[in-house]
Amino acid sequence: MKTVKADILAFGAHADDIEIGMGGTAAKYAAVGKTVVFCDLTKAELSSNGTVTSRAAEARQAAEILGVQERVTLDLPDRGLFLTAEAVSKVAEVIRRYQPTVVFAPYEQDRHPDHGACARLVKEAFFSAGIRKYETSGKEEAHKAKQLYFYMINGFHRPDFCVDIGEVITRKQEGLSAYRSQFELGEGSVDTPLTSGYVETVIARDRMMGKEVGRMFAEGFLTSAPLLLERDLIGD
């Protein structure tokens, strides 16, 4: 089966990372016909709640809610994300396979070490994927995406730009709600920072980001390189 070409390719260390940081942006662009692909680097096998099987089912449901066309999971180890040649090669292979226009990854400054590690891996792979003589285990040709952007998972950082998600905020909440094992304290689960109003804090951050740009809700992003404005600074 032929792999789709992605307008947006977003990476996360674990299923739910992307939804937290940019679920609204993914839903917004998917709704207007853009092809969005998610790639989780690990199966989150060390998660305090849920199992690999249940989390995979939740991830599929969340992707369907947001309109994500494809979701793939690599076999890199949970809490074992390190900047190795093998790991960079696997991520670069995904970039070459989907030939995205833009790539997203977690912002490196985050309380969870895997999120920062994911950022570093994607940054290296983003560059390596565009080198013609760089070899991966796949047969895909080199591909250089236009931009690499970083989304926030934990914390509040000053963004380089924001995306208005007011029209899809409910869709983002529904996507996050798919992760019942992570955000709900059920029978047999243990209390974690995620089960104590975490989704509410994510939505509150989106509201605060929105206030920064005069919108109801927005998601903030940081850039790896300066952005070029293609139109007059004043606008029409």
Side-chain angles (χ1 to χ4, degrees), residues 67-149:
V68 174
Q69 188 154 350
E70 287 192 19
R71 185 168 206 151
V72 295
T73 303
L74 300 185
D75 59 354
L76 297 177
D78 194 8
R79 289 299 301 120
L81 293 180
F82 300 107
L83 197 59
T84 65
E86 180 183 7
V88 172
S89 177
K90 288 183 176 182
V91 177
E93 184 177 342
V94 174
I95 295 173
R96 286 180 171 181
R97 186 191 318 163
Y98 288 100
Q99 301 178 25
T101 303
V102 293
V103 175
F104 288 83
Y107 185 47
E108 187 171 354
Q109 295 182 26
D110 190 280
R111 66 173 176 80
H112 197 308
D114 278 359
H115 299 164
C118 178
R120 291 186 288 274
L121 277 172
V122 175
K123 188 174 182 179
E124 291 287 338
F126 178 87
F127 185 85
S128 295
I131 299 176
R132 183 173 60 85
K133 293 185 178 180
Y134 178 80
E135 295 184 357
T136 68
S137 60
K139 299 183 182 300
E140 294 82 3
E141 295 182 356
H143 175 75
K144 186 173 180 61
K146 289 185 177 180
Q147 285 282 357
L148 171 59
Y149 302 130

Side-chain angles (χ1 to χ4, degrees), residues 202-211 215-218:
V202 171
I203 302 305
R205 181 181 64 190
D206 293 346
R207 187 183 292 275
M208 287 296 297
M209 287 288 181
K211 287 181 68 66
R215 296 292 187 270
M216 286 295 295
F217 296 94

Side-chain angles (χ1 to χ4, degrees), residues 9-212:
L9 173 58
F11 288 92
H14 322 96
D16 76 20
D17 288 349
I18 306 171
E19 287 87 345
I20 292 169
M22 56 171 291
T25 299
K28 178 173 183 171
Y29 281 94
V32 295
K34 300 299 182 182
T35 300
V36 182
V37 175
F38 285 0
C39 178
D40 307 310
L41 299 191
T42 79
K43 298 177 181 179
E45 60 269 22
L46 298 183
S47 178
S48 298
N49 292 316
T51 64
V52 169
T53 300
S54 66
R55 292 206 64 178
E58 291 170 345
R60 288 193 297 270
Q61 182 184 1
E64 183 176 350
I65 291 170
L66 298 178
V68 174
Q69 188 154 350
E70 287 192 19
R71 185 168 206 151
V72 295
T73 303
L74 300 185
D75 59 354
L76 297 177
D78 194 8
R79 289 299 301 120
L81 293 180
F82 300 107
L83 197 59
T84 65
E86 180 183 7
V88 172
S89 177
K90 288 183 176 182
V91 177
E93 184 177 342
V94 174
I95 295 173
R96 286 180 171 181
R97 186 191 318 163
Y98 288 100
Q99 301 178 25
T101 303
V102 293
V103 175
F104 288 83
Y107 185 47
E108 187 171 354
Q109 295 182 26
D110 190 280
R111 66 173 176 80
H112 197 308
D114 278 359
H115 299 164
C118 178
R120 291 186 288 274
L121 277 172
V122 175
K123 188 174 182 179
E124 291 287 338
F126 178 87
F127 185 85
S128 295
I131 299 176
R132 183 173 60 85
K133 293 185 178 180
Y134 178 80
E135 295 184 357
T136 68
S137 60
K139 299 183 182 300
E140 294 82 3
E141 295 182 356
H143 175 75
K144 186 173 180 61
K146 289 185 177 180
Q147 285 282 357
L148 171 59
Y149 302 130
F150 300 99
Y151 60 86
M152 306 172 204
I153 301 177
N154 301 300
F156 190 103
H157 306 278
R158 183 175 181 83
D160 293 321
F161 70 92
C162 291
V163 173
D164 179 3
I165 62 166
E167 294 183 357
V168 292
I169 188 64
T170 300
R171 187 69 58 83
K172 175 172 181 172
Q173 290 174 304
E174 291 172 350
L176 289 171
S177 295
Y179 291 98
R180 290 176 293 278
S181 70
Q182 302 305 299
F183 301 126
E184 296 180 12
L185 192 59
E187 184 178 355
S189 61
V190 298
D191 194 10
T192 73
L194 298 183
T195 59
S196 302
Y198 185 84
V199 172
E200 288 80 358
T201 65
V202 171
I203 302 305
R205 181 181 64 190
D206 293 346
R207 187 183 292 275
M208 287 296 297
M209 287 288 181
K211 287 181 68 66
E212 290 289 309

